[in-house]
Protein backbone atom coordinates (compact mmCIF):
# COMPACT_ATOMS: atom_id res chain seq x y z
CA UNK A 1 0.00 0.00 0.00
CA UNK A 2 1.34 3.40 -0.94
CA UNK A 3 0.66 6.24 1.48
CA UNK A 4 -1.11 9.17 -0.16
CA UNK A 5 0.42 12.07 1.68
CA UNK A 6 -2.05 14.66 0.50
CA UNK A 7 -5.05 12.69 1.73
CA UNK A 8 -3.89 11.16 5.01
CA UNK A 9 -4.27 13.41 8.04
CA UNK A 10 -2.43 13.16 11.33
CA UNK A 11 -5.43 11.81 13.22
CA UNK A 12 -6.15 9.10 10.62
CA UNK A 13 -2.67 7.73 11.27
CA UNK A 14 -2.67 8.45 15.00
CA UNK A 15 -5.86 6.89 16.33
CA UNK A 16 -5.02 3.25 15.48
CA UNK A 17 -1.53 3.77 16.94
CA UNK A 18 -3.16 5.19 20.06
CA UNK A 19 -5.48 2.19 20.42
CA UNK A 20 -2.56 -0.19 19.94
CA UNK A 21 -0.32 1.55 22.47
CA UNK A 22 -3.21 2.04 24.89
CA UNK A 23 -3.88 -1.68 24.83
CA UNK A 24 -0.18 -2.43 25.32
CA UNK A 25 -0.25 -0.10 28.33
CA UNK A 26 -3.41 -1.82 29.53
CA UNK A 27 -1.61 -5.16 29.26
CA UNK A 28 1.10 -3.83 31.55
CA UNK A 29 -1.51 -2.43 33.94
CA UNK A 30 -3.35 -5.74 34.11
CA UNK A 31 -0.03 -7.42 34.86
CA UNK A 32 0.64 -4.89 37.63
CA UNK A 33 -2.83 -5.25 39.19
CA UNK A 34 -2.74 -9.04 39.07
CA UNK A 35 0.81 -9.19 40.39
CA UNK A 36 -0.17 -6.81 43.22
CA UNK A 37 -2.55 -9.56 44.40
CA UNK A 38 0.53 -11.73 44.87
CA UNK A 39 2.64 -9.18 46.82
CA UNK A 40 4.17 -5.71 46.61
CA UNK A 41 7.56 -7.45 46.38
CA UNK A 42 6.40 -9.15 43.19
CA UNK A 43 5.34 -5.75 41.85
CA UNK A 44 8.80 -4.35 42.55
CA UNK A 45 10.36 -7.24 40.61
CA UNK A 46 8.00 -6.80 37.66
CA UNK A 47 8.58 -3.04 37.68
CA UNK A 48 12.36 -3.11 37.49
CA UNK A 49 12.35 -6.11 35.12
CA UNK A 50 9.91 -4.48 32.72
CA UNK A 51 12.03 -1.35 32.72
CA UNK A 52 14.96 -3.47 31.60
CA UNK A 53 12.84 -5.27 29.02
CA UNK A 54 11.52 -2.01 27.65
CA UNK A 55 15.02 -0.62 27.39
CA UNK A 56 16.35 -3.73 25.65
CA UNK A 57 13.39 -3.84 23.28
CA UNK A 58 14.07 -0.24 22.29
CA UNK A 59 17.71 -1.13 21.76
CA UNK A 60 17.27 -4.04 19.37
CA UNK A 61 14.32 -2.54 17.49
CA UNK A 62 16.38 0.53 16.62
CA UNK A 63 17.24 -1.00 13.27
CA UNK A 64 13.55 -1.41 12.53
CA UNK A 65 12.93 2.20 13.51
CA UNK A 66 15.54 3.47 11.07
CA UNK A 67 14.19 1.15 8.40
CA UNK A 68 10.68 2.46 9.07
CA UNK A 69 11.73 6.05 8.39
CA UNK A 70 13.32 5.01 5.09
CA UNK A 71 10.24 2.96 4.16
CA UNK A 72 8.01 6.03 4.52
CA UNK A 73 10.48 8.22 2.62
CA UNK A 74 10.73 5.70 -0.25
CA UNK A 75 6.96 5.32 -0.48
CA UNK A 76 6.64 9.11 -0.51
CA UNK A 77 8.97 9.27 -3.50
CA UNK A 78 7.23 6.36 -5.25
CA UNK A 79 10.02 3.79 -4.92
CA UNK A 80 7.93 0.80 -3.83
CA UNK A 81 10.52 -1.96 -4.41
CA UNK A 82 13.22 -0.18 -2.41
CA UNK A 83 10.74 0.21 0.46
CA UNK A 84 9.98 -3.52 0.32
CA UNK A 85 13.65 -4.54 0.48
CA UNK A 86 14.37 -2.11 3.32
CA UNK A 87 11.44 -3.54 5.29
CA UNK A 88 12.68 -7.11 4.87
CA UNK A 89 16.22 -6.29 6.00
CA UNK A 90 14.93 -4.26 8.95
CA UNK A 91 12.80 -7.11 10.28
CA UNK A 92 15.56 -9.68 9.76
CA UNK A 93 18.21 -7.65 11.57
CA UNK A 94 15.89 -6.82 14.48
CA UNK A 95 14.90 -10.45 14.92
CA UNK A 96 18.51 -11.66 14.98
CA UNK A 97 19.43 -9.05 17.60
CA UNK A 98 16.34 -10.00 19.61
CA UNK A 99 17.35 -13.66 19.64
CA UNK A 100 20.81 -12.77 20.95
CA UNK A 101 19.30 -10.71 23.78
CA UNK A 102 16.83 -13.50 24.65
CA UNK A 103 19.61 -16.08 24.91
CA UNK A 104 21.61 -13.83 27.24
CA UNK A 105 18.57 -13.17 29.46
CA UNK A 106 17.66 -16.86 29.66
CA UNK A 107 21.16 -18.00 30.55
CA UNK A 108 22.23 -15.15 32.85
CA UNK A 109 19.06 -14.06 34.67
CA UNK A 110 20.62 -14.10 38.15
CA UNK A 111 23.67 -11.96 37.28
CA UNK A 112 21.33 -9.51 35.53
CA UNK A 113 19.16 -9.33 38.65
CA UNK A 114 22.24 -8.64 40.75
CA UNK A 115 23.37 -5.90 38.36
CA UNK A 116 19.98 -4.22 38.83
CA UNK A 117 20.59 -4.11 42.61
CA UNK A 118 17.54 -6.30 43.28
CA UNK A 119 17.64 -7.20 46.98
CA UNK A 120 18.41 -10.75 48.08
CA UNK A 121 14.88 -11.59 49.19
CA UNK A 122 13.55 -10.66 45.75
CA UNK A 123 16.08 -12.65 43.72
CA UNK A 124 14.01 -15.90 43.59
CA UNK A 125 11.05 -13.99 42.15
CA UNK A 126 13.33 -12.08 39.79
CA UNK A 127 14.89 -15.32 38.53
CA UNK A 128 11.53 -16.65 37.32
CA UNK A 129 10.45 -13.42 35.64
CA UNK A 130 13.82 -12.51 34.09
CA UNK A 131 14.44 -16.02 32.79
CA UNK A 132 11.16 -16.70 31.05
CA UNK A 133 9.86 -13.28 30.05
CA UNK A 134 13.44 -12.24 29.20
CA UNK A 135 13.91 -15.43 27.19
CA UNK A 136 10.91 -14.43 25.08
CA UNK A 137 12.11 -10.90 24.33
CA UNK A 138 12.85 -11.84 20.73
CA UNK A 139 9.07 -12.05 20.23
CA UNK A 140 8.73 -8.44 21.35
CA UNK A 141 11.51 -7.46 18.96
CA UNK A 142 9.87 -9.38 16.12
CA UNK A 143 6.40 -7.90 16.69
CA UNK A 144 7.81 -4.40 17.15
CA UNK A 145 9.82 -4.54 13.91
CA UNK A 146 6.94 -6.04 11.95
CA UNK A 147 4.53 -3.48 13.36
CA UNK A 148 6.88 -0.60 12.56
CA UNK A 149 7.26 -1.70 8.94
CA UNK A 150 3.51 -2.18 8.50
CA UNK A 151 2.64 1.18 10.09
CA UNK A 152 5.11 3.04 7.89
CA UNK A 153 3.27 1.79 4.80
CA UNK A 154 0.28 3.76 6.12
CA UNK A 155 -1.54 0.69 7.51
CA UNK A 156 -1.82 1.62 11.18
CA UNK A 157 -5.03 -0.37 11.71
CA UNK A 158 -3.57 -3.84 11.16
CA UNK A 159 -1.17 -3.69 14.14
CA UNK A 160 -4.01 -2.16 16.19
CA UNK A 161 -6.35 -5.12 15.58
CA UNK A 162 -3.53 -7.51 16.38
CA UNK A 163 -2.87 -5.60 19.61
CA UNK A 164 -6.53 -6.02 20.62
CA UNK A 165 -6.35 -9.78 20.14
CA UNK A 166 -3.02 -10.11 21.96
CA UNK A 167 -4.32 -8.19 24.98
CA UNK A 168 -7.51 -10.22 25.26
CA UNK A 169 -5.56 -13.47 25.08
CA UNK A 170 -2.99 -12.22 27.58
CA UNK A 171 -5.60 -11.14 30.14
CA UNK A 172 -7.46 -14.46 29.90
CA UNK A 173 -4.28 -16.51 30.19
CA UNK A 174 -3.06 -14.37 33.09
CA UNK A 175 -6.19 -15.17 35.04
CA UNK A 176 -5.99 -18.88 34.23
CA UNK A 177 -2.30 -19.37 35.04
CA UNK A 178 -1.87 -17.01 38.01
CA UNK A 179 -4.90 -18.15 39.97
CA UNK A 180 -4.97 -21.79 38.81
CA UNK A 181 -8.26 -22.04 36.93
CA UNK A 182 -9.62 -25.19 35.26
CA UNK A 183 -7.66 -27.47 37.54
CA UNK A 184 -4.26 -25.94 36.79
CA UNK A 185 -1.86 -25.18 39.68
CA UNK A 186 -1.51 -21.58 40.86
CA UNK A 187 1.65 -20.42 39.10
CA UNK A 188 1.93 -16.88 40.49
CA UNK A 189 4.61 -14.84 38.77
CA UNK A 190 5.52 -17.80 36.58
CA UNK A 191 2.00 -17.69 35.16
CA UNK A 192 2.52 -14.11 34.03
CA UNK A 193 5.68 -15.19 32.19
CA UNK A 194 3.96 -18.10 30.40
CA UNK A 195 0.97 -15.93 29.42
CA UNK A 196 3.29 -13.23 28.12
CA UNK A 197 5.22 -15.57 25.82
CA UNK A 198 2.13 -17.34 24.42
CA UNK A 199 0.16 -14.17 23.66
CA UNK A 200 3.11 -12.38 22.06
CA UNK A 201 3.98 -15.44 20.00
CA UNK A 202 0.49 -15.56 18.53
CA UNK A 203 0.66 -11.83 17.80
CA UNK A 204 3.98 -12.28 15.98
CA UNK A 205 2.45 -14.94 13.70
CA UNK A 206 -0.46 -12.68 12.73
CA UNK A 207 1.79 -9.68 12.07
CA UNK A 208 4.16 -11.79 9.98
CA UNK A 209 1.28 -12.84 7.74
CA UNK A 210 0.19 -9.21 7.45
CA UNK A 211 3.75 -8.05 6.71
CA UNK A 212 4.11 -10.51 3.83
CA UNK A 213 1.25 -8.80 2.00
CA UNK A 214 2.10 -5.20 2.90
CA UNK A 215 3.74 -4.27 -0.43
CA UNK A 216 2.76 -4.51 -4.08
CA UNK A 217 4.98 -7.58 -4.52
CA UNK A 218 4.26 -10.21 -1.87
CA UNK A 219 7.08 -11.11 0.56
CA UNK A 220 7.96 -14.82 0.68
CA UNK A 221 10.02 -16.78 3.18
CA UNK A 222 13.06 -16.94 0.90
CA UNK A 223 13.01 -13.14 0.59
CA UNK A 224 14.27 -12.80 4.17
CA UNK A 225 17.71 -13.78 2.85
CA UNK A 226 17.68 -10.63 0.68
CA UNK A 227 20.64 -8.33 1.15
CA UNK A 228 21.31 -5.15 -0.82
CA UNK A 229 24.53 -3.50 0.28
CA UNK A 230 23.61 0.05 -0.75
CA UNK A 231 20.18 0.00 0.90
CA UNK A 232 21.58 -1.72 3.97
CA UNK A 233 24.19 1.03 4.20
CA UNK A 234 21.41 3.63 4.18
CA UNK A 235 19.63 1.81 7.00
CA UNK A 236 22.84 1.68 9.03
CA UNK A 237 23.55 5.35 8.37
CA UNK A 238 20.20 6.49 9.75
CA UNK A 239 19.96 3.78 12.42
CA UNK A 240 23.31 3.87 14.22
CA UNK A 241 22.66 7.29 15.78
CA UNK A 242 19.22 6.03 16.80
CA UNK A 243 20.97 3.01 18.29
CA UNK A 244 23.35 5.11 20.37
CA UNK A 245 20.42 7.29 21.39
CA UNK A 246 18.56 4.18 22.51
CA UNK A 247 21.68 2.93 24.29
CA UNK A 248 21.91 6.18 26.21
CA UNK A 249 18.28 5.79 27.19
CA UNK A 250 18.88 2.15 28.21
CA UNK A 251 21.77 3.12 30.45
CA UNK A 252 19.94 6.08 31.98
CA UNK A 253 16.80 4.06 32.76
CA UNK A 254 18.73 1.16 34.23
CA UNK A 255 20.78 3.56 36.32
CA UNK A 256 17.69 5.37 37.58
CA UNK A 257 15.93 2.13 38.50
CA UNK A 258 19.12 0.96 40.15
CA UNK A 259 19.03 4.13 42.25
CA UNK A 260 15.39 3.44 43.08
CA UNK A 261 16.31 -0.08 44.19
CA UNK A 262 18.90 1.49 46.51
CA UNK A 263 16.16 3.63 48.05
CA UNK A 264 14.05 0.55 48.91
CA UNK A 265 11.26 -1.76 47.74
CA UNK A 266 8.49 0.73 48.64
CA UNK A 267 10.02 3.49 46.52
CA UNK A 268 10.51 1.04 43.67
CA UNK A 269 6.90 -0.16 43.91
CA UNK A 270 5.60 3.44 44.08
CA UNK A 271 7.53 4.39 40.95
CA UNK A 272 6.21 1.27 39.19
CA UNK A 273 2.59 2.14 40.01
CA UNK A 274 3.03 5.78 39.05
CA UNK A 275 4.83 4.85 35.84
CA UNK A 276 1.79 2.79 34.85
CA UNK A 277 -0.52 5.77 35.42
CA UNK A 278 1.85 8.13 33.59
CA UNK A 279 1.85 5.78 30.62
CA UNK A 280 -1.90 6.25 30.23
CA UNK A 281 -1.38 10.04 30.36
CA UNK A 282 1.18 10.01 27.59
CA UNK A 283 -0.26 7.29 25.35
CA UNK A 284 -2.29 9.52 23.01
CA UNK A 285 0.50 12.11 22.86
CA UNK A 286 2.97 9.39 21.95
CA UNK A 287 0.63 8.12 19.22
CA UNK A 288 0.38 11.63 17.78
CA UNK A 289 4.19 11.92 17.79
CA UNK A 290 4.57 8.56 16.01
CA UNK A 291 1.93 9.46 13.42
CA UNK A 292 3.68 12.80 12.92
CA UNK A 293 6.96 11.02 12.23
CA UNK A 294 5.36 8.77 9.58
CA UNK A 295 3.67 11.73 7.90
CA UNK A 296 6.78 13.94 7.99
CA UNK A 297 9.02 11.17 6.61
CA UNK A 298 6.60 10.54 3.74
CA UNK A 299 6.25 14.25 2.96
CA UNK A 300 10.04 14.59 3.05
CA UNK A 301 10.38 11.73 0.57
CA UNK A 302 7.90 13.53 -1.70
CA UNK A 303 9.92 16.75 -1.18
CA UNK A 304 6.94 18.74 0.12
CA UNK A 305 9.34 20.66 2.34
CA UNK A 306 7.08 23.53 3.40
CA UNK A 307 4.46 21.09 4.59
CA UNK A 308 7.16 19.08 6.37
CA UNK A 309 8.12 22.13 8.44
CA UNK A 310 4.52 22.99 9.35
CA UNK A 311 3.58 19.39 10.17
CA UNK A 312 6.05 19.20 13.05
CA UNK A 313 4.44 22.16 14.81
CA UNK A 314 0.96 20.78 14.19
CA UNK A 315 2.05 17.54 15.81
CA UNK A 316 3.55 19.39 18.78
CA UNK A 317 0.53 21.60 19.46
CA UNK A 318 -1.96 18.74 19.27
CA UNK A 319 0.24 16.53 21.45
CA UNK A 320 0.77 19.21 24.10
CA UNK A 321 -2.96 19.91 24.35
CA UNK A 322 -3.75 16.22 24.81
CA UNK A 323 -0.96 15.46 27.28
CA UNK A 324 -1.62 18.57 29.38
CA UNK A 325 -5.31 17.70 29.75
CA UNK A 326 -4.49 14.11 30.72
CA UNK A 327 -1.85 15.04 33.27
CA UNK A 328 -4.24 17.47 35.01
CA UNK A 329 -6.76 14.64 35.34
CA UNK A 330 -4.06 12.39 36.80
CA UNK A 331 -3.14 15.08 39.30
CA UNK A 332 -6.77 15.38 40.38
CA UNK A 333 -7.51 11.66 40.71
CA UNK A 334 -4.03 10.19 41.22
CA UNK A 335 -4.47 9.27 44.88
CA UNK A 336 -7.65 7.32 44.15
CA UNK A 337 -6.02 5.58 41.19
CA UNK A 338 -2.94 4.61 43.21
CA UNK A 339 -5.27 3.05 45.77
CA UNK A 340 -6.40 0.59 43.09
CA UNK A 341 -2.93 -0.96 43.08
CA UNK A 342 -1.99 -1.17 46.75
CA UNK A 343 -3.38 -0.66 50.26
CA UNK A 344 0.05 0.27 51.60
CA UNK A 345 -0.39 3.86 52.78
CA UNK A 346 3.33 4.64 52.60
CA UNK A 347 3.56 3.61 48.94
CA UNK A 348 0.47 5.69 48.11
CA UNK A 349 1.94 8.71 49.93
CA UNK A 350 5.19 8.45 48.00
CA UNK A 351 3.29 8.31 44.72
CA UNK A 352 1.00 11.23 45.57
CA UNK A 353 4.03 13.40 46.40
CA UNK A 354 5.20 13.00 42.79
CA UNK A 355 1.94 13.93 41.06
CA UNK A 356 2.66 17.68 41.05
CA UNK A 357 6.08 17.10 39.43
CA UNK A 358 4.35 15.02 36.78
CA UNK A 359 2.56 18.20 35.62
CA UNK A 360 5.94 19.34 34.32
CA UNK A 361 7.41 16.00 33.25
CA UNK A 362 4.79 14.94 30.71
CA UNK A 363 4.64 18.20 28.63
CA UNK A 364 8.46 18.22 28.51
CA UNK A 365 8.40 14.62 27.24
CA UNK A 366 5.88 15.63 24.57
CA UNK A 367 8.08 18.50 23.37
CA UNK A 368 11.09 16.21 23.17
CA UNK A 369 9.17 13.40 21.47
CA UNK A 370 7.37 15.51 18.85
CA UNK A 371 10.33 17.59 17.71
CA UNK A 372 12.86 14.77 18.12
CA UNK A 373 10.74 12.46 15.96
CA UNK A 374 10.43 15.22 13.36
CA UNK A 375 14.22 15.51 13.14
CA UNK A 376 14.59 11.73 12.92
CA UNK A 377 11.97 11.59 10.16
CA UNK A 378 14.11 13.78 7.89
CA UNK A 379 17.29 11.87 8.73
CA UNK A 380 18.83 14.29 11.25
CA UNK A 381 19.49 11.46 13.70
CA UNK A 382 23.06 12.41 14.63
CA UNK A 383 21.93 15.62 16.29
CA UNK A 384 19.29 13.91 18.44
CA UNK A 385 21.88 11.27 19.34
CA UNK A 386 24.48 13.84 20.43
CA UNK A 387 22.24 15.86 22.69
CA UNK A 388 20.75 12.68 24.18
CA UNK A 389 24.15 11.27 25.08
CA UNK A 390 25.16 14.49 26.80
CA UNK A 391 21.89 15.27 28.56
CA UNK A 392 21.08 11.74 29.74
CA UNK A 393 24.59 11.22 31.06
CA UNK A 394 25.03 14.52 32.87
CA UNK A 395 21.47 15.34 33.91
CA UNK A 396 19.60 12.03 33.80
CA UNK A 397 22.19 9.82 35.48
CA UNK A 398 24.59 12.21 37.19
CA UNK A 399 21.90 14.55 38.46
CA UNK A 400 19.66 11.71 39.68
CA UNK A 401 22.45 10.20 41.73
CA UNK A 402 23.52 13.57 43.11
CA UNK A 403 20.06 14.76 44.11
CA UNK A 404 18.35 11.45 44.76
CA UNK A 405 21.11 9.54 46.56
CA UNK A 406 23.94 11.84 47.64
CA UNK A 407 21.76 14.75 48.73
CA UNK A 408 19.03 12.48 50.06
CA UNK A 409 16.13 13.94 48.06
CA UNK A 410 15.00 10.43 47.10
CA UNK A 411 12.34 10.01 44.42
CA UNK A 412 11.64 13.75 44.33
CA UNK A 413 15.25 14.49 43.41
CA UNK A 414 15.23 11.82 40.72
CA UNK A 415 12.00 13.19 39.26
CA UNK A 416 13.45 16.72 39.16
CA UNK A 417 16.37 15.44 37.09
CA UNK A 418 14.04 13.51 34.78
CA UNK A 419 12.16 16.77 34.14
CA UNK A 420 15.38 18.70 33.55
CA UNK A 421 16.67 16.07 31.12
CA UNK A 422 13.46 16.02 29.04
CA UNK A 423 13.23 19.83 29.03
CA UNK A 424 16.86 20.30 27.96
CA UNK A 425 16.56 17.86 25.06
CA UNK A 426 13.16 19.22 24.05
CA UNK A 427 14.35 22.82 23.84
CA UNK A 428 17.45 21.82 21.88
CA UNK A 429 15.55 19.81 19.26
CA UNK A 430 13.03 22.67 18.94
CA UNK A 431 15.89 25.10 18.30
CA UNK A 432 17.36 22.72 15.69
CA UNK A 433 14.04 22.40 13.88
CA UNK A 434 13.56 26.16 13.76
CA UNK A 435 16.98 26.44 12.09
CA UNK A 436 15.78 24.23 9.17
CA UNK A 437 19.33 23.07 8.43
CA UNK A 438 18.39 19.74 6.83
CA UNK A 439 15.38 21.20 5.01
CA UNK A 440 17.48 23.98 3.47
CA UNK A 441 20.10 21.41 2.42
CA UNK A 442 17.43 19.23 0.79
CA UNK A 443 15.99 22.24 -1.02
CA UNK A 444 19.43 23.23 -2.29
CA UNK A 445 20.17 19.68 -3.42
CA UNK A 446 16.87 19.42 -5.28
CA UNK A 447 17.55 22.75 -6.98
CA UNK A 448 20.99 21.56 -8.06
CA UNK A 449 19.58 18.34 -9.49
CA UNK A 450 16.92 20.24 -11.40
CA UNK A 451 19.61 22.54 -12.85
CA UNK A 452 21.64 19.53 -14.04
CA UNK A 453 18.55 18.01 -15.63
CA UNK A 454 17.74 21.29 -17.42
CA UNK A 455 21.28 21.56 -18.80
CA UNK A 456 21.13 17.95 -19.97
CA UNK A 457 17.82 18.64 -21.71
CA UNK A 458 19.21 21.78 -23.39
CA UNK A 459 22.28 19.87 -24.61
CA UNK A 460 20.08 17.23 -26.22
CA UNK A 461 18.53 19.82 -28.61
Amino acid sequence: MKLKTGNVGLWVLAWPIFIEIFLQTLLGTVDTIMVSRISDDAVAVVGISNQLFGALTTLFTTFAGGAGILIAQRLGSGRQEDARIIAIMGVTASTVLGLLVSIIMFLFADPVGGALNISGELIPLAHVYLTYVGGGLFLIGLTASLGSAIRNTGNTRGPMYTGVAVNVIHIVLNYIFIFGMFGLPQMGLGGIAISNVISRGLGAIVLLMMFCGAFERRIRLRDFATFKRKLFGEIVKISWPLGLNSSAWVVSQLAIYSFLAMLGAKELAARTYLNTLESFCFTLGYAVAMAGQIRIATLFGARQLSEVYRSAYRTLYIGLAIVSANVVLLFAFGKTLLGMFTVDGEIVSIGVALLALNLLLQPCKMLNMAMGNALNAIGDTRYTMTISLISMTLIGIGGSYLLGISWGWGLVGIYCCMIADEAARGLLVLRRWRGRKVLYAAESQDGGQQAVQCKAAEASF
Side-chain angles (χ1 to χ4, degrees), residues 4-87:
K4 304 294 184 181
T5 61
N7 299 324
V8 179
L10 188 66
W11 180 246
V12 174
L13 291 170
W15 77 261
I17 298 175
F18 163 68
I19 297 297
E20 181 186 356
I21 298 172
F22 178 83
L23 289 172
Q24 289 175 356
T25 305
L26 181 62
L27 183 149
T29 304
V30 170
D31 276 354
T32 303
I33 292 175
M34 289 187 172
V35 172
S36 70
R37 300 298 180 263
I38 302 172
S39 69
D40 285 325
D41 285 346
V43 170
V45 167
V46 170
I48 194 168
S49 299
N50 283 348
Q51 193 66 37
L52 172 64
F53 297 156
L56 290 174
T57 299
T58 301
L59 185 62
F60 58 65
T61 56
T62 294
F63 211 82
I69 292 170
L70 292 176
I71 290 168
Q73 289 182 359
R74 287 300 197 282
L75 291 176
S77 61
R79 290 178 282 179
Q80 176 78 214
E81 185 60 23
D82 279 1
R84 178 181 178 274
I85 294 172
I86 289 169

Side-chain angles (χ1 to χ4, degrees), residues 40 75 95 97 119 132 152 154 170 185 196 210 221 251 254 302 327 331 333 344 353 362 409 434 443 446 449 454:
D40 285 325
L75 291 176
T95 303
L97 289 172
S119 57
Y132 297 105
N152 277 281
H170 182 69
N196 192 297
M210 199 179 301
L221 185 61
V251 172
L254 292 179
V327 78
F331 179 74
F333 300 103
D344 190 311
Q362 300 306 319
W409 289 20
R434 289 174 61 86
E443 187 176 17
D446 291 345
Q449 290 175 348
C454 287

